[in-house]
Amino acid sequence: QVQLVESGGGLVQPGGSLRLSCAASGSIFNINFMSWYRQAPGKEREQVALISKSGTINYADSVKGRFTISRDNAKNTVYLQMNSLKPEDTAVYYCHAVKVGARPFDSWGQGTQVTVSS
């Protein structure tokens, strides 16, 4: 199992950008799926972006063309570049890791707040 620590959240004006980082306590090389989720007040947690071990990427329709997920296995870090931010992107953003097969695990970070407001 790995521990995940998110960083990079903050307050940004509409149209601005932020880059979130998710640092893992161990190697992410064999982690099958790394994802970013978000949860706004009063709403369910939703998946924003996913990147697989093989490099397959999926995005929620609401962020396509604006957000980019990437992983740096050498640094054991996953990133979420967020551009053209909107007020509706305001939420706590969580990093999630899933490993299947041998020694499976499912880990969450503690979350980082992103607030988009003028």
Side-chain angles (χ1 to χ4, degrees):
Q1 185 122 1
V2 295
Q3 309 300 315
L4 304 173
V5 178
E6 302 97 334
S7 62
L11 173 64
V12 63
Q13 292 186 344
S17 298
L18 283 175
R19 188 176 81 154
L20 305 183
S21 298
C22 171
S25 60
S27 174
I28 66 170
F29 181 79
N30 286 317
I31 294 179
N32 299 88
F33 304 102
M34 297 292 300
S35 303
W36 286 96
Y37 283 73
R38 66 186 180 188
Q39 187 167 21
K43 295 188 176 181
E44 293 186 355
R45 191 172 295 190
E46 63 170 347
Q47 188 179 72
V48 173
L50 174 148
I51 184 166
S52 74
K53 179 180 177 181
S54 64
T56 299
I57 291 174
N58 288 313
Y59 296 103
D61 287 344
S62 58
V63 306
K64 282 181 181 177
R66 300 189 298 121
F67 289 12
T68 303
I69 189 172
S70 61
R71 63 192 286 171
D72 187 334
N73 291 337
K75 295 183 178 180
N76 298 324
T77 302
V78 176
Y79 303 98
L80 185 68
Q81 178 67 44
M82 305 186 296
N83 299 327
S84 302
L85 283 162
K86 305 175 181 180
E88 51 263 44
D89 294 318
T90 295
V92 178
Y93 284 72
Y94 297 91
C95 184
H96 183 229
V98 174
K99 184 180 181 298
V100 300
R103 300 181 183 178
F105 60 80
D106 183 322
S107 296
W108 289 90
Q110 83 290 347
T112 185
Q113 176 70 47
V114 172
T115 302
V116 185
S117 175
S118 56

